[in-house]
Amino acid sequence: MSEHIVSKKTYYTVFLALLAGTALTVVMAFVNLHNWNIVVALLIAGAKASLVIAFFMHVKYSSKLTKMWVAVGFIWLFLLLAITMTDFLTRAWLVYKP
Amino acid sequence: MSSATAIPSEIADVQWNGERLNYLNNGHGLKSWLLTKDHKRIAILYLISVSAFFILGGIFALLIRINLLVPQGEFPADTYDRLFTAHGVIMVFLFLVPAVPAILGNFLIPIMIGAKDLAFPKINLLSWYIYMLAGVILLYAIFAGGIDTGWTFYTPYSTSYSNSNVLLAGLGIFVAGFSSILTGINFIVTIHTMRAPGMTWFRLPLFVWAHYATALVIMLATPVLAITVSLMAIERVTHVGIFDPAMGGDPVLFQHMFWFYSHPAVYIMVLPAMGIVSELIANLSHKNIFGYKFIAMSSLAIGIFGFLVWGHHLFVSTQSVYLGLAFSFLSYVVAIPSAIKVFNWTATLFKGSISYDTPMLYGLGFIGLFLIGGMTGLFLAALGLDVQVHDTYFVIAHFHYVMVGGSLMGFLGGLHLWWGKMTGREYPEYWARAAMIIQFVGFNLTFFPQFILGYLGMPRRYASYPPEFQVLHVLSTAGASILGIGLGITIFYLLWSLKRGKRAAANPWGAPGLEWRTTSPPPTENFYETPVVTWEAYEFAPIETMEVLGYPGDPGRPTQPVHAEHGTED
């Protein structure tokens, strides 16, 4: 677990990947994908966050228990966002007549 | 099962020597308490501070009931708003959430799993200081002007219109949340990593299982509360439209986020009390609990499904009807694990050797009152009926049956069950039984009329009401006075017992749990040597060996502990 020593090479590789992600975000900001803008931005941000959690926060080298708790946190965040957004999407179905 | 008698006789002997070193006399003076890292002393710190807030919250409750004695109200309406908000905020955030986990959980979890302390003793002390800081902030908010939004802080009133101390109260709740989170982390890590040799997961007492589920809920829900009150503060200060529709926000979003915490928070309040009830039903029926694994797993099920029902608070908001359907269904589903517990407790009582001592009375009270509270919850989870009774006294009665009839009864039952273990003194049985019965009568008289009031249409949070409701309101106020007297008696005799109570035996109930295999009160290290668990949970000794454990024949009257000839009654 915490005794695992990560090589400098891994850290630098992840750092470069994060920089590349940032550059990609900036580039994509100038491309108009309409409704997909937010999706692409969130995908890049999610990938970067996963790298930080896996390598910088050592979750990749941790016990299955730690991994499970990390996953549980995100599943709960997903529940909060998904169910609340479901309300927002379906709220008008009864009254909205196009 | 001879290993159940594992208190070595030499320890049982020194038990009755008043000079034996224990956690209470190991260090004297204020500093030894305020800088302690001993989970038992921190539990006592919590006991004192949480009780003080409970008394204050109770005083506000009585003021509410005094106001409602007459139809036009005794106080101005805006004073009344501040009274019920103060009552709600203090009782929810400073009493119900920390009561059982921070006092009894803190004290008992390490002992029950055979550990010397919690995993992070300093974080444990820090959580108490954070709690006290939150208490001071909330007290200042309440007494320097008050809060008039209700404990739910619904927007846009709280962000755009209220002129009361909403920001300060939000800060207090934000801070209080961190105290809970620290306690939750501590419990999870302790239960995972510090169990004694032989203490497998399915040998854990159900009290520990309930606290594990509670800690899970605390850690996953409380951060959302912090986010919600932060967003509320941002909108109130900077007028960025988040919740206020006048600024482009969505007020139902606040309700979603608030109840994503606050509905699971109800389970934070009641799950630990359910853990206590499992202990005291088994221990005072002197019988292996019925359906151990079902009770353990139902705690986890309540913890998980409790997260998927928050929308039943939003049925009359503009929440999507389709989502309402799903939430209604899921709310019915969450009743199943609760019912599993109630049925298993009842089955445990069946053919048990039941002692009607005070903890058992509280346990039976819990089952009955929680049953009423839970079943009326199903009324409220029904989409159609909720439109009629939403925001009426029916809701007030329902959650007081769960919170007072459930959590408070469980807390008091646990406090009596382990009072001897915590303080080294016995509470007076006669007074305790009398107080419990007075509380039970007072409680029902307070809240049962409120079901009728709510069904007749009396809305909550109103300072005045039509005269035809007065009879029911007077009954309710009379009940609150009786309940107050009953609780006052309990506070009085518990304080009295600290000096005058008989010295408690190590195992007055003949129970098999690890906490009963150390002395009362325990030494600072909890055990004289690391216990090795070779028995299953709730493996009770046969009745005939109870004499050895401290029963003089009749298991119903555990009065004279073994080695009582060394006992002192001062």
Side-chain angles (χ1 to χ4, degrees):
Chain A
M1 283 172 68
S2 54
E3 292 85 10
H4 190 275
I5 295 165
V6 185
S7 69
K8 279 188 182 174
K9 194 183 159 207
T10 313
Y11 277 139
Y12 281 122
T13 314
V14 173
F15 178 60
L16 287 176
L18 289 173
L19 283 181
T22 311
L24 189 61
T25 313
V26 174
V27 171
M28 291 312 289
F30 291 97
V31 183
N32 192 354
L33 300 169
H34 306 284
N35 283 346
W36 293 92
N37 281 331
I38 185 92
V39 178
V40 169
L42 279 176
L43 279 178
I44 300 172
K48 284 166 69 184
S50 311
L51 284 176
V52 171
I53 292 165
F55 292 97
F56 290 167
M57 295 171 78
H58 287 217
V59 170
K60 186 178 188 301
Y61 315 106
S62 299
S63 64
K64 279 183 182 167
L65 184 66
T66 311
K67 284 177 187 161
M68 186 194 79
W69 275 100
V70 172
V72 161
F74 282 96
I75 291 168
W76 254 251
L77 180 66
F78 173 78
L79 284 178
L80 170 67
L81 298 178
I83 299 180
T84 306
M85 287 305 125
T86 311
D87 170 33
F88 192 72
L89 276 176
T90 61
R91 205 182 280 176
W93 283 7
L94 270 194
V95 288
Y96 179 64
K97 301 258 187 339
Chain B
M1 237 313 289
S2 58
S3 59
T5 61
I7 302 172
S9 59
E10 63 274 17
I11 295 176
D13 273 331
V14 287
Q15 156 75 18
W16 293 97
N17 178 355
E19 298 304 311
R20 186 179 57 79
L21 198 61
N22 61 51
Y23 86 96
L24 286 170
N25 61 20
N26 185 10
H28 293 279
L30 200 59
K31 200 178 149 197
S32 78
W33 282 90
L34 292 181
L35 295 179
T36 183
K37 291 187 284 292
D38 182 353
H39 66 103
K40 299 180 287 298
R41 285 189 160 212
I42 296 168
I44 300 292
L45 291 176
Y46 263 116
L47 175 63
I48 296 166
S49 38
V50 169
S51 305
F53 284 118
F54 174 68
I55 293 169
L56 187 65
I59 291 170
F60 281 116
L62 288 175
L63 289 173
I64 293 172
R65 289 314 320 167
I66 288 171
N67 178 74
L68 294 171
L69 264 179
V70 287
Q72 70 278 16
E74 298 276 5
F75 306 120
D78 57 344
T79 307
Y80 181 75
D81 293 344
R82 283 162 171 78
L83 286 179
F84 71 69
T85 306
H87 169 69
V89 166
I90 290 177
M91 286 303 200
V92 169
F93 296 107
L94 297 178
F95 174 70
L96 285 165
V97 169
V100 181
I103 299 171
L104 294 171
N106 230 337
F107 192 97
L108 289 161
I109 286 177
I111 307 182
M112 282 181 164
I113 65 173
K116 283 182 184 168
D117 206 317
L118 285 169
F120 308 117
K122 286 181 188 166
I123 287 183
N124 195 18
L125 182 64
L126 179 66
S127 85
W128 182 72
Y129 277 102
I130 293 177
Y131 170 79
M132 291 308 286
L133 177 66
V136 169
I137 296 171
L138 286 173
L139 281 185
Y140 183 78
I142 285 163
F143 287 107
I147 319 143
D148 65 353
T149 59
W151 76 277
T152 49
F153 299 97
Y154 271 15
T155 54
Y157 182 71
S158 62
T159 53
S160 297
Y161 302 103
S162 170
N163 289 319
S164 58
N165 288 331
V166 176
L167 277 181
L168 263 180
L171 179 66
I173 289 164
F174 184 89
V175 175
F178 283 93
S179 166
S180 313
I181 293 173
L182 294 183
T183 305
I185 292 175
N186 231 333
F187 285 178
I188 296 227
V189 176
T190 307
I191 297 169
H192 268 289
T193 61
M194 294 179 68
R195 284 169 284 127
M199 180 56 91
T200 59
W201 279 92
F202 286 115
R203 283 177 178 173
L204 286 175
L206 290 165
F207 181 84
V208 179
W209 269 106
H211 274 80
Y212 186 80
T214 309
L216 177 124
V217 179
I218 287 176
M219 284 174 55
L220 294 170
T222 317
V224 179
L225 177 73
I227 296 166
T228 312
V229 294
S230 302
L231 288 176
M232 182 182 82
I234 289 170
E235 179 169 291
R236 196 172 158 87
V237 173
T238 66
H239 304 290
V240 174
I242 302 167
F243 302 125
D244 186 348
M247 295 186 281
D250 184 345
V252 182
L253 176 64
F254 177 86
Q255 297 187 25
H256 274 295
M257 295 185 70
F258 181 82
W259 289 110
F260 187 85
Y261 165 77
S262 292
H263 195 82
V266 175
Y267 299 106
I268 296 176
M269 301 168 201
V270 82
L271 265 173
M274 289 170 156
I276 291 174
V277 173
S278 299
E279 294 295 321
L280 50 87
I281 293 281
N283 286 341
L284 274 82
S285 305
H286 309 106
K287 184 161 165 264
N288 190 356
I289 193 124
F290 186 87
Y292 171 91
K293 282 188 182 173
F294 271 85
I295 298 185
M297 288 303 130
S298 68
S299 289
L300 287 183
I302 290 174
I304 293 167
F305 284 115
F307 272 99
L308 303 174
V309 301
W310 79 83
H312 64 218
H313 298 270
L314 281 69
F315 284 163
V316 300
S317 70
T318 54
Q319 179 185 242
S320 157
V321 202
Y322 301 96
L323 199 57
L325 278 173
F327 276 128
S328 177
F329 172 75
L330 287 163
S331 304
Y332 274 80
V333 170
V334 86
I336 295 171
S338 310
I340 287 175
K341 283 181 190 288
V342 170
F343 282 121
N344 280 333
W345 293 327
T346 318
T348 306
L349 291 169
F350 181 63
K351 290 195 176 175
S353 171
I354 299 173
S355 315
Y356 288 102
D357 289 314
T358 314
M360 184 54 128
L361 295 186
Y362 278 113
L364 296 175
F366 178 101
I367 294 179
L369 299 179
F370 178 75
L371 192 71
I372 297 177
M375 295 304 277
T376 50
L378 293 179
F379 289 39
L380 293 166
L383 271 169
L385 189 56
D386 186 62
V387 176
Q388 155 82 10
V389 290
H390 189 92
D391 264 355
T392 67
Y393 269 73
F394 195 91
V395 180
I396 307 293
H398 154 70
F399 75 71
H400 281 89
Y401 263 82
V402 177
M403 297 287 93
V404 184
S407 303
L408 183 65
M409 288 275 157
F411 172 62
L412 288 174
L415 201 60
H416 283 85
L417 185 72
W418 289 295
W419 185 253
K421 189 56 68 182
M422 293 174 82
T423 64
R425 301 284 182 160
E426 284 180 14
Y427 62 87
E429 188 63 47
Y430 173 82
W431 282 100
R433 287 184 198 184
M436 190 279 158
I437 290 164
I438 293 170
Q439 288 160 19
F440 185 80
V441 171
F443 170 80
N444 281 297
L445 189 57
T446 312
F447 292 106
F448 203 84
Q450 296 187 7
F451 278 124
I452 305 168
L453 274 172
Y455 197 74
L456 295 175
M458 167 85 201
R460 67 191 289 194
R461 295 179 173 168
Y462 275 51
S464 54
Y465 53 85
E468 62 262 35
F469 290 150
Q470 192 174 10
V471 174
L472 291 166
H473 271 301
V474 169
L475 280 178
S476 185
T477 301
S481 318
I482 296 171
L483 179 58
I485 290 168
L487 291 169
I489 296 173
T490 298
I491 292 167
F492 177 78
Y493 70 69
L494 286 181
L495 289 175
W496 174 88
S497 76
L498 290 178
K499 281 275 177 218
R500 300 290 179 124
K502 275 189 273 185
R503 288 196 185 272
N507 188 2
W509 317 105
L514 271 181
E515 78 271 30
W516 306 110
R517 293 166 198 240
T518 185
T519 48
S520 296
T524 302
E525 302 79 14
N526 292 344
F527 298 96
Y528 291 92
E529 50 192 58
T530 305
V532 178
V533 183
T534 55
W535 60 91
E536 299 304 317
Y538 306 102
E539 197 174 309
F540 282 87
I543 288 285
E544 54 269 24
T545 64
M546 277 186 184
E547 298 243 0
V548 189
L549 288 166
Y551 278 74
D554 177 9
R557 298 282 310 155
T559 49
Q560 291 296 310
V562 70
H563 303 298
E565 63 274 17
H566 303 293
T568 51
E569 193 175 339
D570 48 5

